[in-house]
Amino acid sequence: MQKSRFHQSIFILIFFLGFLNTSAQKRQGNIVEYFGKEKIDEIHEGNAIHVFKEALYLTSKRNALNSMSFPTDMIFKDFLMNTKTVSKGDAGSIDDTGKTHRWTEIEVDDTNTFNNPVLRGSYIYLSYRSPIAKTVLFEASGHTQAIINGFPHEGDYYDFGYSLIPIKLNKGTNVFVLKAGRFPRVRARLIEPKSPVIFTSRDMTLPDLLLEEKMGYKGAIRVINASENWVKNHQIQLSHLGTTSTTKVPNILPMSVRKVPFDIAAIPENTEASKSVLNLTLQNGSNGILDTQEVDIQIKSKYNKHKRTFVSQIDNSVQYFSVAPSSTKDLENGALFLSVHGASVEAVNQANAYKQKDWGHIVAPTNRRPFGFAWEDWGRLDALEVLREGKRIYGPDSQKIYLTGHSMGGHGTWYLGATYPDKFAAIAPCAGYPDLLGYRDSFVKRALQATDEERKQWGITPERLKEMQKKPQLTDMDHMILRAGNPSRTLKLKRNYLQHGIYVLHGEKDNVVPTFIAREMREVLGTFHPDFTYYEYPGGTHWYGDHSMDWPPIFELFKNRTIKTDSLIHKMEFYTASPGVSAKSHFITIHQQQKPFEISSVDFSKENGASIITDNVAVLGVDFGVMNMRSDTLSIDGAAFKIQSKGLAYYKKVEGAWQPTTKPSLKEKGPHRNGGFKDAFNNQMVFVYGTKGNPIENDWYYNKARLDAETFYYRANGSVEIVPDVEFDTKKYVDRNVVLYGNKSTNSAWKKLLKDFPVQIENNRVTVDGKEIIGEQWGLYFIAPRTDSNKASIGVVAATGVSGLKAIYSNHYLLNGTSYPDLLLFSNDIMEYGTDGVKCAGFFGNDWSFKNGDFQWK
């Protein structure tokens, strides 16, 4: 099988981080101390009725060429949709070397944890025999995913102890299969909840209450619905310092957990800085008390470092960011510094590492989680939302906006700076890597240069070393799928760095992000960039104190850089891989591409008359009103156009020639809605699951929607609204993205949203622009526009039958580093053969048609 270099890259990256982060970062402490959180051990949601103390494990040989978007997994395939049992010594798998892997016994240590280096990446089989059918909470930690009695659930791979999954135990044997993650330890318990609907204080999102601001606040707490009924018409009543507020609880799916918002009233005058206590009461529709919770919260001065919260437009969840405000009280028209954290770092610790600046405010977003999305995908969106919040709150000088970050945040700085060049006057990546591909290559180089003893310590056998060096051959299908990941290929956008100054800071002896990565970027910048500074901190490792990023020369460089005024720009280059990710720089907007998700560019110059040279651009917008044009003509790729007005003008390429056009229709692709399947999971998304199939289909789509919501909660601190198809009303969800779980036969919302779309899927049939593909083994993902909205999209997760349901079990589309074009049609062979099981992949045309799109068939 032929797999992509990127998939290999991600595998090796994860493999090494499992060793390097837990050793190097833990040793160095401070901001990069691993997580900075204590694992939750105490149980307040009920009583533990069973602790798993015996298990079977199955080692697995990880394939460096395994696809991230469609990872092979024959073990999970066997356990999906059934309650298969195994015994000690049973053969579990045969790897590509011919070795048979067998299920082997293991017992817990004195902390009731399965803890052994062999568990990293292994499968763990647990069973529990229940005398009756009953509802419990399954609590496990240290695993990436679980299959419980045949249905998949999200794991707790941060090992925080956050995971609480309501399940209905069968009378008799119940089977739990877990996949261990980056840590070689797993704990699992069954909890009998104290009531069917309760609070859990695990993983709350809270602001700091600020003495000088008279405003309300948002917090969030998880509500467990361990019943087979919907939670509807419930409310949270909050009492604090003599004030009371009431918040309606959004509907919660049966047998699920949802993080819900609650309001906190403004604090009374004359309150002093202190730790305070919120009193929360969960009430049903009749005002009956279901649960209570006391919550500690901090009251602080806004002039000191603090946390703020806001409601995200991605999913209506409550997110926080941390602030190191200016040391100049009530600073007006100051600077704003966006600081993005490293892997495992909380945003509050990111802000705490800085001394307060007298000329600007530092805001630190969360990336949605300490690892989150490496500042790509939803991490990128979180950074943009916090940047907007920072501007709204502090009103900085619009030309004094800066970007910096450390480690993974150094990557975020390279990435966000290349993606949004006109948003920042200067950037400062610290201990960062520009692209995940280069990061992976650094580990291969290190492994090759290491001693045999070092490789042994890292668990790299000679066979594994050979595997790491494999040079995969890409198929046309691989290229099509990988194209959707071009927005993350930072170095393809490197000339966007010309729009701002750069300070590169790296430790001389960094053993986590090797120093030669920074040196390579110095060489790259040296070929074209006139305004960058490079500094290696003598003897510096990955983290050598707060000055690993709070480095005074960085802020001196910042102080001497401003975002250029549009009218003063005489030359500008701008590159993007998707207008839906980044479409605009200053006065030029790329509205549509000729070839979707390939790199598009414009090269603007006022020298010798105004001109624009384009590549892979179909529709272009120019704002003459801010350009201070002295010429009355504009040349685009050599074609001259008279400038008719000093406002916005649009140009379209038709049969290879440019011509003036009107403003592009919002019904077509553009910056507002450009596709890539992952883009469906945005814009206050709502999940709609089908109920019109047979019992197996209905159960599966219900559980699949719940799994994706569990995943988005865990990976993105999310809160997704889920509704059955029979309750979905387009008027209730105006301009919101909708993700349909089910096909035309099983989801009644299909007719409301997609009846005229050129792609149709029903039981035993997929129809793509008139072409029929028959069989019940097919799975399908695609994105389409909502015809009743100028901005909302529809995502589809569907199968043609029971066999196809297994194909769609994975939700790696909610991971960063994965690539999903507008449409992917695949069979259940993907669990065995990866991307070789993909039948069709590609992108719709700018008019959202199939015929004008770009697709690869197999």
Side-chain angles (χ1 to χ4, degrees):
M1 288 178 288
Q2 297 168 325
K3 302 300 174 192
S4 75
R5 177 172 175 251
F6 184 72
H7 299 144
Q8 182 184 21
S9 303
I10 295 297
F11 162 79
I12 295 172
L13 172 60
I14 292 171
F15 177 82
F16 268 91
L17 285 179
F19 170 77
L20 290 174
N21 280 347
T22 52
S23 58
Q25 291 195 358
K26 237 183 177 180
R27 286 197 304 272
Q28 295 167 61
N30 204 339
I31 193 172
V32 292
E33 183 175 356
Y34 215 64
F35 299 129
K37 290 189 175 185
E38 294 295 326
K39 181 175 178 178
I40 295 171
D41 290 314
E42 295 183 356
I43 297 172
H44 299 288
E45 298 81 9
N47 299 310
I49 62 171
H50 181 73
V51 177
F52 290 95
K53 296 187 176 183
E54 298 176 346
L56 300 175
Y57 73 89
L58 179 72
T59 58
S60 62
K61 183 176 182 294
R62 290 169 288 184
N63 184 351
L65 301 184
N66 202 4
S67 166
M68 277 291 288
S69 299
F70 292 102
T72 58
D73 198 330
M74 289 300 295
I75 305 304
F76 268 13
K77 184 176 182 180
D78 287 344
F79 286 97
L80 282 171
M81 304 178 76
N82 67 60
T83 53
K84 172 185 174 180
T85 60
V86 298
S87 301
K88 174 186 175 182
D90 286 353
S93 65
I94 301 174
D95 64 31
D96 54 8
T97 68
K99 178 182 176 181
T100 299
H101 295 255
R102 298 185 180 278
W103 291 98
T104 305
E105 286 182 328
I106 189 171
E107 296 182 352
V108 296
D109 61 16
D110 56 6
T111 66
N112 287 323
T113 301
F114 299 104
N115 194 346
N116 191 306
V118 300
L119 293 183
R120 183 175 284 121
S122 294
Y123 298 89
I124 299 170
Y125 173 91
L126 308 168
S127 64
Y128 176 75
R129 189 166 185 82
S130 178
I132 59 172
K134 65 183 302 184
T135 296
V136 298
L137 304 178
F138 178 66
E139 183 224 57
S141 56
H143 61 307
T144 61
Q145 200 171 31
I147 293 182
I148 304 174
N149 288 336
F151 288 105
H153 290 273
E154 182 64 7
D156 181 14
Y157 36 87
Y158 291 164
D159 201 30
F160 283 165
Y162 287 170
S163 180
L164 292 166
I165 299 173
I167 61 170
K168 185 72 174 290
L169 291 175
N170 299 324
K171 180 180 179 180
T173 300
N174 296 266
V175 173
F176 307 77
V177 182
L178 282 59
K179 182 73 178 291
R182 61 189 301 133
F183 309 110
R185 60 180 183 267
V186 170
R187 183 185 70 188
R189 304 185 285 197
L190 297 178
I191 300 169
E192 185 171 12
K194 60 186 179 183
S195 297
V197 181
I198 55 174
F199 285 132
T200 176
S201 60
R202 306 186 191 199
D203 187 33
M204 295 187 65
T205 300
L206 294 170
D208 292 325
L209 309 184
L210 303 178
L211 295 173
E212 298 84 2
E213 295 193 356
K214 303 305 176 187
M215 64 178 188
Y217 304 83
K218 290 285 186 181
I221 187 171
R222 285 194 294 164
V223 174
I224 298 171
N225 181 10
S227 77
E228 297 185 57
N229 300 313
W230 281 85
V231 165
K232 293 185 176 182
N233 301 316
H234 288 45
Q235 61 186 22
I236 294 174
Q237 188 176 84
L238 183 146
S239 298
H240 181 235
L241 299 179
T243 64
T244 301
S245 57
T246 301
T247 309
K248 181 180 178 182
V249 174
N251 295 347
I252 303 176
L253 189 74
M255 301 297 287
S256 70
V257 183
R258 186 174 179 188
K259 199 167 189 177
V260 302
F262 59 84
D263 294 321
I264 307 171
I267 56 177
E269 293 184 7
N270 302 318
T271 303
E272 296 183 354
S274 64
K275 184 172 77 171
S276 190
V277 177
L278 306 176
N279 292 286
L280 276 65
T281 301
L282 180 61
Q283 300 175 329
N284 61 21
S286 303
N287 294 325
I289 296 176
L290 303 178
D291 200 7
T292 60
Q293 183 71 53
E294 289 188 351
V295 179
D296 291 340
I297 196 165
Q298 296 292 327
I299 301 175
K300 296 182 176 182
S301 169
K302 74 174 184 178
Y303 302 115
N304 296 328
K305 296 174 183 177
H306 60 270
K307 295 186 299 181
R308 292 177 180 264
T309 55
F310 66 98
V311 177
S312 171
Q313 292 303 297
I314 298 172
D315 57 348
N316 288 328
S317 63
V318 176
Q319 303 296 323
Y320 93 88
F321 64 99
S322 197
V323 182
S326 174
S327 57
T328 302
K329 287 189 175 183
D330 301 317
L331 175 70
E332 294 184 4
N333 213 36
L336 187 70
F337 311 102
L338 183 72
S339 180
V340 291
H341 64 71
S344 84
V345 179
E346 280 283 354
V348 67
N349 293 334
Q350 183 78 0
N352 285 342
Y354 286 99
K355 294 182 176 65
Q356 291 171 255
K357 311 302 176 189
D358 61 1
W359 63 288
H361 306 277
I362 297 167
V363 293
T366 65
N367 188 31
R368 285 295 189 114
R369 285 295 189 192
F371 280 91
F373 303 96
W375 301 105
E376 301 174 9
D377 296 317
W378 299 274
R380 168 180 61 83
L381 295 175
D382 179 66
L384 293 179
E385 287 193 315
V386 170
L387 182 60
R388 283 192 291 269
E389 279 292 291
K391 289 179 177 180
R392 180 186 66 81
I393 293 166
Y394 296 109
D397 184 326
S398 61
Q399 292 179 275
K400 296 179 180 178
I401 312 296
Y402 307 91
L403 172 67
T404 187
H406 179 267
S407 190
M408 182 184 74
H411 164 64
T413 302
W414 285 120
Y415 167 69
L416 294 168
T419 304
Y420 303 107
D422 67 340
K423 291 187 182 296
F424 308 103
I427 67 172
C430 307
Y433 51 93
D435 193 295
L436 286 171
L437 287 180
Y439 198 23
R440 168 265 168 186
D441 289 342
S442 75
F443 291 120
V444 176
K445 291 177 182 178
R446 288 189 62 195
L448 290 171
Q449 296 169 1
T451 65
D452 290 341
E453 184 61 32
E454 286 174 325
R455 285 195 288 265
K456 183 178 179 181
Q457 183 184 9
W458 298 340
I460 301 176
T461 63
E463 293 76 15
R464 178 62 54 79
L465 187 61
K466 290 180 181 179
E467 187 176 5
M468 290 166 62
Q469 298 176 72
K470 288 180 179 178
K471 302 295 184 182
Q473 298 177 350
L474 301 182
T475 66
D476 290 340
M477 188 66 76
D478 285 327
H479 283 295
M480 182 61 74
I481 294 171
L482 287 173
R483 197 202 297 179
N486 271 340
S488 295
R489 302 285 67 79
T490 308
L491 293 181
K492 292 185 177 182
L493 311 177
K494 63 186 178 184
R495 293 191 67 84
N496 283 347
Y497 294 136
L498 287 167
Q499 297 192 39
H500 39 229
I502 301 175
Y503 194 109
V504 182
L505 176 64
H506 218 97
E508 180 191 17
K509 297 180 179 180
D510 192 334
N511 65 345
V512 176
V513 179
T515 307
F516 64 75
I517 291 180
R519 293 171 182 168
E520 289 173 354
M521 275 306 293
R522 177 183 61 188
E523 296 301 315
V524 169
L525 293 173
T527 64
F528 71 95
H529 202 293
D531 183 22
F532 76 95
T533 298
Y534 178 90
Y535 185 73
E536 283 182 20
Y537 190 84
T541 54
H542 191 58
W543 181 260
Y544 42 87
D546 290 349
H547 54 294
S548 300
M549 60 181 189
D550 190 14
W551 180 237
I554 286 176
F555 290 88
E556 285 302 312
L557 180 139
F558 283 176
K559 189 173 287 188
N560 291 294
R561 305 294 185 280
T562 56
I563 297 174
K564 290 183 179 180
T565 303
D566 291 343
S567 62
L568 299 179
I569 294 175
H570 294 276
K571 289 181 66 66
M572 183 185 75
E573 297 179 40
F574 174 58
Y575 293 74
T576 184
S578 167
V581 174
S582 175
K584 177 180 177 292
S585 185
H586 292 282
F587 42 77
I588 294 180
T589 302
I590 297 175
H591 286 270
Q592 293 179 354
Q593 300 172 289
Q594 292 175 300
K595 195 169 186 178
F597 279 77
E598 292 286 15
I599 303 301
S600 299
S601 66
V602 293
D603 187 346
F604 167 80
S605 176
K606 282 184 181 178
E607 298 175 1
N608 301 317
S611 67
I612 299 175
I613 304 299
T614 74
D615 186 42
N616 192 37
V617 179
V619 177
L620 188 67
V622 182
D623 186 356
F624 292 112
V626 298
M627 292 172 61
N628 190 25
M629 290 283 289
R630 296 180 180 179
S631 172
D632 62 355
T633 61
L634 172 68
S635 169
I636 306 178
D637 294 336
F641 297 93
K642 190 164 184 65
I643 298 173
Q644 300 295 333
S645 70
K646 294 300 182 181
L648 287 168
Y650 302 93
Y651 303 90
K652 184 174 184 178
K653 206 168 197 177
V654 179
E655 297 181 353
W658 285 100
Q659 62 184 39
T661 189
T662 57
K663 182 178 180 179
S665 169
L666 292 177
K667 298 299 182 182
E668 296 186 347
K669 282 189 172 183
H672 61 296
R673 180 170 59 186
N674 196 61
F677 174 68
K678 294 165 87 168
D679 194 50
F681 297 86
N682 192 3
N683 190 33
Q684 304 177 73
M685 58 191 175
V686 56
F687 293 173
V688 180
Y689 65 90
T691 65
K692 298 301 181 180
N694 61 41
I696 293 175
E697 292 169 328
N698 291 344
D699 281 350
W700 186 263
Y701 285 123
Y702 162 87
N703 279 276
K704 176 60 176 163
R706 182 176 64 173
L707 169 65
D708 282 5
E710 287 176 359
T711 299
F712 205 74
Y713 153 70
Y714 192 86
R715 294 185 183 275
N717 191 30
S719 177
V720 180
E721 184 171 1
I722 306 175
V723 298
D725 54 357
V726 293
E727 294 184 13
F728 176 74
D729 184 347
T730 56
K731 294 180 181 178
K732 183 177 179 181
Y733 300 98
V734 174
D735 282 336
R736 290 175 62 179
N737 284 12
V738 179
V739 181
L740 294 182
Y741 294 85
N743 63 34
K744 184 178 179 180
S745 307
T746 61
N747 193 312
S748 61
W750 190 282
K751 294 179 181 178
K752 300 176 182 179
L753 297 169
L754 289 166
K755 65 177 181 177
D756 297 321
F757 198 67
V759 179
Q760 299 288 310
I761 179 170
E762 55 194 304
N763 286 345
N764 208 48
R765 180 184 289 108
V766 179
T767 306
V768 180
D769 201 35
K771 179 178 181 178
E772 289 190 347
I773 300 95
I774 303 299
E776 56 101 34
Q777 75 273 30
W778 300 106
L780 180 66
Y781 304 148
F782 71 86
I783 187 170
R786 275 188 67 167
T787 57
D788 61 345
S789 171
N790 285 330
K791 68 175 186 179
S793 298
I794 305 159
V796 171
V797 178
T800 56
V802 174
S803 293
L805 292 176
K806 282 194 174 186
I808 64 170
Y809 103 92
S810 172
N811 59 6
H812 280 56
Y813 43 77
L814 296 177
L815 291 174
N816 70 290
T818 57
S819 303
Y820 290 84
D822 291 351
L823 177 144
L824 283 150
L825 173 65
F826 46 91
S827 74
N828 57 10
D829 286 341
I830 63 165
M831 296 193 71
E832 185 172 358
Y833 301 114
T835 53
D836 288 347
V838 177
K839 177 75 173 178
C840 179
F843 302 88
F844 297 111
N846 286 323
D847 59 356
W848 287 101
S849 72
F850 190 90
K851 66 179 181 179
N852 291 327
D854 189 2
F855 291 89
Q856 181 69 42
W857 285 90
K858 180 179 178 181

